[in-house]
Amino acid sequence: MGFEVRSTPLTRTNPLTKIAIMLLITVGVVLSIDVVSASLMMVFVIVFFPLTGFPVKRLFTHLWFIPLAAFATGWATVLLAEGAGPVLFNFGPYEVTARSVEVGFALFLRSLAMSLPCVVLAFSIDSTELADSLVQLLKMPERFVLGALGAARLAGLLSEQLETIRFARRARGVAHGGFFGGLRDFLPIAFALLTEAIRRAVRLAMAMEGRAFGTKGRTWTRRVSLGARDWVAMGCAGVLAATCITASVATGNWNFILS
């Protein structure tokens, strides 16, 4: 993305802690479609946003699609939700009522409060630390996790390899210009890219096998554990989620999603 996430007490927590925080925040607003819980969670997200270490100025350049998608969800609900209450106005064949606007606004805030912190926190998760945590703390299969880690690392090289193949074809004079020329070059480029990806995967598998990945009793360079900071972070996220649910129930706005 071209930038680094600033180091904060939250970003220094374990990757599993960040995933647990995402789940707790989601639970705080996903169980009910109401303005109270969604608005309160949105306030919490704004207040604690600096702890994510994400540059505020990057919100508009990298995450502009999140509020846009949330608004689209809310607007579609306003138009398609079952009408109730006084009619505010007619939008073509659609009748917009006070109830549909309330539900649409609640879904807008709900989508924003769920997606924004999850995406922002994901920027601070290191794939290597996540793999170590999954194996050492959750006891997931080492061969599967480390294989997925290796595949994720190699996936980032595909774009560079694609540019190399395109430049090589241009140097040999076999590349075609224009839209239809690009379609004509698609199969040769895709075949060359697939071949190179298989070669890289084979070399990585042999290297991992030679270093005893996936065998029992293998030692770890980095030992992973959950410290006090992790438990405090998860506890705070749980309190925020419980506060949103309690406020919604106390004000009589609780609207269970399955009811």
Side-chain angles (χ1 to χ4, degrees):
M1 281 293 183
F3 64 92
E4 293 183 0
V5 176
R6 180 170 49 87
S7 178
T8 67
L10 180 59
T11 59
R12 291 194 294 269
T13 57
N14 188 276
L16 295 183
T17 301
K18 298 171 186 175
I19 294 176
I21 292 174
M22 297 178 195
L23 294 176
L24 290 171
I25 291 176
T26 302
V27 169
V29 293
V30 76
L31 298 180
S32 174
I33 304 177
D34 66 273
V35 176
V36 174
S37 62
S39 301
L40 191 56
M41 182 59 75
M42 197 63 215
V43 171
F44 289 148
V45 169
I46 295 174
V47 171
F48 293 103
F49 185 84
L51 291 178
T52 64
F54 193 89
V56 177
K57 62 181 179 180
R58 300 289 184 177
L59 285 175
F60 303 99
T61 57
H62 290 77
L63 302 182
W64 55 267
F65 60 91
I66 294 180
L68 182 62
F71 177 78
T73 301
W75 179 245
T77 304
V78 169
L79 297 179
L80 303 177
E82 183 178 354
V87 178
L88 300 180
F89 60 91
N90 293 321
F91 188 79
Y94 303 103
E95 190 175 73
V96 178
T97 65
R99 176 58 180 169
S100 63
V101 171
E102 180 184 352
V103 175
F105 184 63
L107 280 177
F108 166 72
L109 291 177
R110 182 170 174 252
S111 302
L112 201 59
M114 283 191 302
S115 57
L116 184 60
C118 292
V119 173
V120 169
L121 280 176
F123 275 93
S124 63
I125 295 180
D126 181 77
S127 57
T128 303
E129 294 180 0
L130 177 60
D132 291 341
S133 301
L134 290 174
V135 175
Q136 298 182 40
L137 298 180
L138 295 187
K139 306 302 180 182
M140 293 186 66
E142 178 181 331
R143 186 180 295 271
F144 171 78
V145 173
L146 296 179
L149 173 62
R153 289 294 180 87
L154 291 181
L157 300 176
L158 289 180
S159 60
E160 298 179 5
Q161 189 64 36
L162 177 61
E163 290 300 319
T164 302
I165 294 174
R166 286 177 174 173
F167 288 145
R169 290 179 59 84
R170 291 175 185 173
R172 293 196 299 269
V174 295
H176 300 83
F179 176 75
F180 294 101
L183 293 179
R184 184 177 178 181
D185 291 339
F186 174 75
L187 286 180
I189 291 177
F191 181 76
L193 193 62
L194 177 62
T195 302
E196 183 62 25
I198 294 175
R199 290 174 178 173
R200 288 180 182 273
V202 171
R203 289 197 295 266
L204 177 62
M206 294 177 62
M208 294 177 67
E209 191 74 22
R211 289 170 173 79
F213 280 94
T215 58
K216 294 183 179 180
R218 185 178 180 276
T219 58
W220 293 88
T221 303
R222 296 172 300 273
R223 299 300 303 178
V224 178
S225 61
L226 296 179
R229 182 189 295 120
D230 299 285
W231 294 110
V232 170
M234 287 187 285
C236 291
V239 170
L240 297 183
T243 302
C244 293
I245 296 175
T246 303
S248 177
V249 174
T251 56
N253 288 278
W254 179 260
N255 182 23
F256 189 52
I257 188 173
L258 297 179
S259 61

